[in-house]
Amino acid sequence: MQIIPVSDSKTKKEFLNVARFLYKDDPNWICPLDQDIEQIFDAKKNTFFNHGKCTRWILKDAAGQTIGRVAAFINDKKAYQYDQPTGGMGFFECIDDQKAAFLLFDTAKIWLQEQGMEAMDGPVNFGENDSFWGLLVEGFTPPSYGMNYHHAYYHGFFKNYGFETSYEQITNHLNVRKPFPERFTKIANWVANKPGYTFEHFSKKNSEKYVQDLMEIYNDGWQDFEKFVPIKKETLLESFKKMETIMDEKLIWFAYINGEPASFVVIIPDANQLIKSFNGKLGLIEKLMFLYKRWVGVNRMRAIVMGTKQVFQKHGLESALFIKLKEYVLPLDQYDELELSWVGDFNDKMLSLHEATGATFGKRHLTLRKIF
């Protein structure tokens, strides 16, 4: 077997195509858009290159067939927050052959060691954790946009190589047409009508304002979580720009208390239902098909992220945001499911909120670590 660095248009194409080869007989797999993958490795488009570095490889067998791939990266903002300097590996794909898998793992490990790292997390993304993050181990159903999908046998590779679970990522599903539990609805309506409490949906015309509000809420609400790194405005602007083609402004809601940004939820229509037949391509024909099918046939949404300032975290604002969302969604008679993805098993408050809404278990991903 031969490890080959991705260095030109030919190897970039092979890096993308190996996933199509490995999942060609899996009806649940939905090919991510090639451009979404390539943007992650483009220093001009991925702001994480401002404070990090990455590289990637493909693996070929003796016959010259590409049978695997892997990427390795270092986020300087997070790497040195742990007992051991820790890099990342991701975009791992491989045939059902442990020797091949271990060769890919070794390649990422050696590169990270050369950069001074003493451990690696995987499979993770060279970017925010809302996309391409975690190893799927339960819930092998069609993934929503940006969510990892894997072969079941990958888990054995990671365990046998010595990776250990750092945390679980839980995705729950909410039946949109099913009424919320009575207690949840009562609290939500009470909060929504309190004096000084106001609710607004996102507006592209005022995107700078809402991005600023989201950053303020997020960085306050999540600051006490271990190894937290504040999110930057430029990163959020980049994320919203990527979402623009599929965004529905009225699926992104903010709560304010006496004018102060207090809570938010970001939800998008599941673009994977639109691009399933594209096989990762987004040429002229696919773009025309996308525009034609933009809303027709999309019956699932994905909640990407929620947040509430610490001082307001026991005010029931999240409940009220879900009520506001439902007031918009139900009359559309379009959406059947809201995927709440994903929540770490360390986030008791958010898991309790999911339970309170009546959501049911959907998927489980793992973020794993290998100490060298």
Side-chain angles (χ1 to χ4, degrees):
M1 292 182 288
Q2 183 183 13
I3 286 283
I4 302 171
V6 174
S7 59
D8 54 26
S9 58
K10 182 176 183 294
T11 47
K12 286 179 182 179
K13 186 176 180 180
E14 290 177 299
F15 185 88
L16 296 168
N17 283 341
V18 68
R20 285 185 268 264
F21 163 69
L22 289 169
Y23 293 101
K24 66 181 186 299
D25 297 322
D26 190 331
N28 288 318
W29 182 68
I30 297 175
C31 186
L33 292 175
D34 290 351
Q35 66 176 32
D36 288 350
I37 302 294
E38 284 304 302
Q39 283 176 359
I40 291 165
F41 300 99
D42 188 337
K44 295 178 181 178
K45 297 179 179 179
N46 185 351
T47 58
F48 274 66
F49 277 95
N50 296 334
H51 49 81
K53 63 184 77 171
C54 79
T55 189
R56 51 183 168 154
W57 303 266
I58 55 173
L59 176 65
K60 293 194 173 189
D61 64 14
Q65 171 70 48
T66 306
I67 57 172
R69 74 182 192 190
V70 74
F73 20 79
I74 299 170
N75 177 355
D76 291 329
K77 286 188 174 181
K78 286 192 175 183
Y80 301 97
Q81 292 186 353
Y82 307 99
D83 293 336
Q84 299 88 11
T86 302
M89 60 81 64
F91 301 92
F92 169 84
E93 304 288 358
C94 189
I95 60 170
D96 192 0
D97 182 311
Q98 183 167 288
K99 184 179 178 182
F102 279 17
L103 180 53
L104 288 164
F105 291 155
D106 282 343
T107 302
K109 173 186 173 182
I110 291 167
W111 183 83
L112 289 169
Q113 285 179 313
E114 290 171 349
Q115 313 301 314
M117 298 295 103
E118 298 174 13
M120 65 179 172
D121 287 346
V124 298
N125 181 22
F126 189 48
E128 294 297 333
N129 62 14
D130 60 346
S131 298
F132 306 121
W133 199 284
L135 177 71
L136 180 66
V137 295
E138 191 174 352
F140 294 90
T141 57
S144 61
Y145 185 73
M147 291 289 286
N148 270 346
Y149 182 89
H150 296 117
H151 283 302
Y153 61 79
Y154 285 9
H155 192 196
F157 293 159
F158 279 81
K159 287 195 298 183
N160 294 341
Y161 191 73
F163 279 92
E164 295 185 357
T165 302
S166 294
Y167 56 87
E168 296 186 355
Q169 304 156 223
I170 309 300
T171 293
N172 290 313
H173 293 163
L174 184 63
N175 184 337
V176 173
R177 301 179 191 276
K178 181 181 178 181
F180 287 126
E182 183 179 350
R183 184 174 183 274
F184 182 89
T185 302
K186 184 177 180 180
I187 293 172
N189 287 328
W190 175 71
V191 171
N193 291 305
K194 289 187 72 172
Y197 285 48
T198 55
F199 302 86
E200 303 173 13
H201 63 74
F202 182 83
S203 167
K204 292 179 184 177
K205 292 180 181 178
N206 296 315
S207 60
E208 287 271 347
K209 170 196 180 306
Y210 290 110
V211 166
Q212 179 66 40
D213 291 348
L214 191 153
M215 181 178 69
E216 180 181 325
I217 298 166
Y218 182 89
N219 287 341
D220 181 284
W222 290 82
Q223 63 182 314
D224 287 344
F225 281 90
E226 188 180 5
K227 316 303 181 189
F228 170 74
V229 175
I231 197 167
K232 283 190 170 184
K233 190 173 183 178
E234 62 181 10
T235 303
L236 284 175
L237 288 170
E238 179 185 327
S239 296
F240 272 87
K241 186 176 180 181
K242 288 179 181 177
M243 291 192 298
E244 199 167 21
T245 54
I246 58 169
M247 181 191 296
D248 182 344
E249 296 170 313
K250 294 180 181 179
L251 295 181
I252 303 172
W253 280 86
F254 291 81
Y256 298 85
I257 297 181
N258 297 321
E260 180 183 349
S263 185
F264 73 88
V265 59
V266 176
I267 294 171
I268 58 172
D270 182 13
N272 266 10
Q273 293 184 320
L274 296 175
I275 68 172
K276 185 173 183 178
S277 63
F278 294 0
N279 201 26
K281 307 300 181 182
L282 196 59
L284 177 60
I285 293 175
E286 287 83 8
K287 286 179 179 178
L288 291 172
M289 289 173 62
F290 184 90
L291 291 172
Y292 174 71
K293 298 195 304 181
R294 184 176 177 186
W295 303 121
V296 179
V298 178
N299 67 350
R300 182 169 65 179
M301 302 170 284
R302 180 191 170 199
I304 298 176
V305 63
M306 298 181 68
T308 303
K309 283 185 177 177
Q310 290 187 354
V311 70
F312 302 128
Q313 285 183 359
K314 294 183 180 180
H315 288 232
L317 291 169
E318 300 91 348
S319 304
L321 288 171
F322 274 110
I323 288 292
K324 292 295 179 183
L325 175 70
K326 203 158 193 175
E327 287 174 356
Y328 168 65
V329 168
L330 276 183
L332 293 177
D333 195 28
Q334 175 181 343
Y335 298 106
D336 298 319
E337 183 180 83
L338 171 60
E339 181 173 287
L340 304 169
S341 58
W342 50 266
V343 176
D345 59 3
F346 50 81
N347 193 342
D348 294 334
K349 291 178 182 177
M350 199 59 69
L351 288 171
S352 295
L353 175 65
H354 285 198
E355 184 179 354
T357 65
T360 56
F361 174 79
K363 299 174 186 289
R364 190 186 315 275
H365 290 76
L366 305 179
T367 297
L368 304 111
R369 176 167 296 171
K370 165 68 176 177
I371 297 175
F372 302 153

